[in-house]
Amino acid sequence: MAEYIRIEKGLGPEGRIAVVRFDRGDGINALSPEALRQLTDAARSFEDDGATSVVVLTGGAKSFSAGFDLKDAEGRSRRTMDIGTLRRHLKLGPRLSRAWQDMEQVTIGAIEGFCIGGGVALAVALDFRVMARDAHMRVPEIGLGMNMSWQSVPRMLHLIGPARTKQAVILADDRISAADAYEWGLVEQVAEPGKAFDAAMALATKVAAQPPISVAMTKLTVNRLAHALDDLAAHMDVDQFALASMTEDHKEGVAAFLERRKPRFKGR
């Protein structure tokens, strides 16, 4: 089975920085179910790591992630799953984003190229995001007849407010430039092209120089306060996605994407 993740530890001040590199080597970095599992395992591998204060997550040189892999055989098998099996399979994404959000270490995403769909869902589960000036984000789920999932809507809402969240999610074909992402509050820093990782490491160095226990407890407090009500609606996330995936519009949206044409939605 292909390994998509590489973890480096012991970097920066007192060796308190770790780097997680997600790179499938194809310039696209799509999130297949297996990639989701490996990224989840990577986050969970830090659960008992008291030596690491900061984790930098970076993708490839050309992309952070193109989102869920619509061409992956396991992913496409969802079309024939019964509702119970489908609901269980759809928990892979929320499980990934929750694993990264719940990490005790401060997390920083370094975004080059494009960050799309599930890539955005993963990015907003992190504490900070650094984005290259020529990079862009896009949330195409609605354009594919799906809803934005992985519990990312509440996270985006906290970052950029209701109107911008609707703008980003509903206007599925609109790219969000690095400048707009920074203005909206979707990313915390914009770097020169090719320098997002370097800028993320510089930020990580500042965090790693702080008292580790105080930093961890502060992150936990802020997250618990910010996300206190999110779980009330979390259960609907998977069910909405499962329901949307059974519509004719979803089949049309995916077919249009794969055939490189405009979809024709009918509301059924």
Side-chain angles (χ1 to χ4, degrees):
M1 189 171 292
E3 291 290 335
Y4 303 135
I5 307 296
R6 191 167 80 250
I7 300 176
E8 305 166 51
K9 294 187 176 183
L11 308 176
E14 306 297 324
R16 302 202 68 84
I17 299 175
V19 173
V20 176
R21 298 182 185 275
F22 167 53
D23 190 356
R24 297 184 64 174
D26 58 3
I28 298 174
N29 247 19
L31 292 164
S32 64
E34 178 55 30
L36 297 179
R37 294 186 185 99
Q38 290 186 24
L39 279 163
T40 302
D41 290 343
R44 289 176 173 172
S45 72
F46 290 95
E47 286 179 356
D48 297 317
D49 183 354
T52 301
S53 296
V54 192
V55 178
V56 175
L57 174 62
T58 184
K62 296 181 179 179
S63 65
F64 184 74
S65 175
F68 189 73
D69 192 347
L70 293 174
K71 297 181 180 180
D72 178 81
E74 183 183 351
R76 295 188 68 165
S77 70
R78 289 176 173 179
R79 294 179 298 180
T80 59
M81 290 178 182
D82 62 79
I83 186 65
T85 304
L86 178 62
R87 289 180 75 249
R88 287 190 292 275
H89 199 269
L90 289 177
K91 292 178 182 178
L92 287 173
R95 191 176 295 145
L96 162 69
S97 57
R98 175 55 67 91
W100 279 89
Q101 177 179 291
D102 286 349
M103 288 173 63
E104 185 167 292
Q105 294 81 7
V106 169
T107 54
I108 304 171
I111 301 169
E112 293 281 354
F114 49 83
C115 179
I116 299 174
V120 176
L122 175 56
V124 298
L126 306 177
D127 296 310
F128 302 107
R129 290 145 293 277
V130 178
M131 190 173 180
R133 193 175 305 280
D134 60 347
H136 71 271
M137 292 183 173
R138 188 163 62 87
V139 184
E141 276 76 1
I142 283 185
L144 294 168
M146 302 181 289
N147 67 308
M148 185 60 174
S149 187
W150 302 5
Q151 300 169 6
S152 51
V153 169
R155 295 184 182 111
M156 293 178 70
L157 186 65
H158 295 310
L159 290 171
I160 62 178
R164 290 298 191 193
T165 298
K166 292 171 189 173
Q167 182 175 353
V169 175
I170 294 175
L171 301 181
D173 290 333
D174 284 4
R175 290 184 173 187
I176 304 170
S177 68
D180 284 343
Y182 178 74
E183 180 187 347
W184 293 4
L186 198 51
V187 302
E188 286 67 47
Q189 189 175 338
V190 175
E192 292 304 311
K195 299 295 184 181
F197 177 73
D198 293 341
M201 287 297 288
L203 176 57
T205 298
K206 293 180 180 179
V207 175
Q210 304 302 317
I213 296 174
S214 298
V215 169
M217 290 191 297
T218 299
K219 168 182 171 168
L220 179 62
T221 299
V222 172
N223 277 8
R224 289 292 184 268
L225 289 170
H227 302 288
L229 299 179
D230 291 357
D231 283 344
L232 294 177
H235 71 283
M236 295 188 294
D237 189 287
V238 168
D239 291 338
Q240 286 178 348
F241 196 95
L243 181 62
S245 70
M246 294 181 173
T247 63
E248 290 184 22
D249 280 349
H250 170 59
K251 295 180 179 67
E252 166 63 12
V254 173
F257 171 79
L258 295 174
E259 296 166 14
R260 298 181 181 277
R261 60 173 174 79
K262 275 192 164 295
R264 296 179 292 275
F265 295 126
K266 299 179 180 179
R268 57 176 187 250

